[in-house]
Amino acid sequence: MKTFQKPLSAAEEAHYIQALQEGNSDEAAAAKEILIERNLRLVAHIAKKYQNVDEDMEDLISIGTIGLIKAISSFDAGKGKLSTYASRCIDNELLMLLRSKKKSRGEVSLFEPIGTDKEGNEINLLDIMEHEQVDITEQMALYENTKKLAKLLGEVLTDREREIICLRYGLLTGKEVTQREIGELLNISRSYVSRIEKKALNKLREKFEER
């Protein structure tokens, strides 16, 4: 499968949506093209849900892209996040394809098997329709940001700062520790823990935004 461009940041997405809705014809056309290109990865992720329903993946992506284009053309801020709204539109377009295929061979049943999942279990249209809508773009962005922060922890913080941040937010154990508990553990005052934590967070934020 082809490699797709990375999703837009929240600020970039807002900029292009505004250009699409408020810019002149050239600006709107350019913004629409960028919004489509930078959301094709979302189409591919959603299309994977349907890869075992006897349809070519490239065809699924093509149909899903139609749903993406419709979403971008009809989106407004009142509909929530673009990725969430687009996911529903892409899903709807793919479900319409499957229904039309079924209708060409007879009546559609939501419970009729249309393929199997990766484990070999039968899936039907109802399974797909009830599948929880996941904000895939947000998940990918969270994953990338988490990797970036993990790297910065070792690059920009002192040993003491890193220890306090890891304890405070449960980065190693999954259990958050209060400033008072950290102070008792390290034999320093709670206020000193607070100052170190604040300084460390500011350093992380500054370096994170630079990158």
Side-chain angles (χ1 to χ4, degrees):
M1 187 181 296
K2 65 177 291 188
T3 301
F4 300 104
Q5 296 185 45
K6 291 183 178 181
L8 295 167
S9 67
E12 290 172 332
E13 181 178 285
H15 167 76
Y16 288 115
I17 289 174
Q18 183 177 10
L20 173 64
Q21 297 175 346
E22 301 178 10
N24 58 42
S25 58
D26 290 339
E27 292 171 339
K32 184 176 183 179
E33 182 176 349
I34 291 172
L35 286 166
I36 292 171
E37 289 178 351
R38 299 293 286 274
N39 280 284
L40 285 176
R41 184 179 292 193
L42 175 63
V43 176
H45 275 275
I46 294 175
K48 286 181 180 179
K49 290 196 305 181
Y50 303 85
Q51 61 186 352
N52 294 316
V53 294
D54 300 324
E55 294 293 336
D56 183 78
M57 179 57 69
E58 292 299 321
D59 291 339
L60 291 174
I61 291 176
S62 295
I63 297 300
T65 302
I66 294 174
L68 172 64
I69 294 171
K70 289 181 177 179
I72 291 171
S73 299
S74 60
F75 179 75
D76 64 59
K79 293 174 179 174
K81 295 186 62 175
L82 174 60
S83 58
T84 303
Y85 177 65
S87 294
R88 291 195 295 269
C89 293
I90 294 165
D91 252 329
N92 288 341
E93 207 67 32
L94 290 167
L95 285 170
M96 286 173 60
L97 169 68
L98 295 177
R99 291 187 185 113
S100 66
K101 293 282 187 178
K102 286 293 182 179
K103 282 183 178 179
S104 68
R105 297 194 292 267
E107 289 299 316
V108 179
S109 170
L110 293 179
F111 300 96
E112 180 181 352
I114 60 174
T116 58
D117 59 21
K118 293 180 180 179
E119 285 73 41
N121 302 309
E122 286 188 344
I123 55 175
N124 53 47
L125 282 176
L126 187 61
D127 291 329
I128 296 174
M129 291 172 68
E130 291 182 341
H131 183 78
E132 181 181 358
Q133 296 293 332
V134 177
D135 193 331
I136 297 172
T137 301
E138 185 173 305
Q139 285 187 333
M140 290 188 294
L142 177 60
Y143 175 70
E144 293 297 328
N145 289 340
T146 301
K147 287 200 304 181
K148 188 189 299 184
L149 278 173
K151 185 177 181 181
L152 289 175
L153 281 171
E155 292 181 351
V156 306
L157 300 185
T158 65
D159 291 343
R160 174 55 62 88
E161 289 170 342
R162 184 165 52 254
E163 181 180 19
I164 287 176
I165 291 298
C166 287
L167 287 170
R168 186 76 177 90
Y169 298 96
L171 301 184
L172 299 179
T173 65
K175 180 182 178 180
E176 298 180 3
V177 181
T178 67
Q179 292 178 346
R180 186 175 301 281
E181 290 171 333
I182 294 173
E184 293 174 354
L185 179 65
L186 302 180
N187 197 28
I188 56 179
S189 68
R190 187 206 62 78
S191 60
Y192 188 39
V193 172
S194 178
R195 289 198 299 272
I196 295 175
E197 178 187 348
K198 183 177 180 180
K199 181 180 178 181
L201 290 176
N202 286 336
K203 288 166 68 173
L204 288 172
R205 184 180 298 108
E206 180 180 342
K207 293 296 182 181
F208 185 85
E209 292 175 351
E210 284 180 4
R211 301 187 182 186

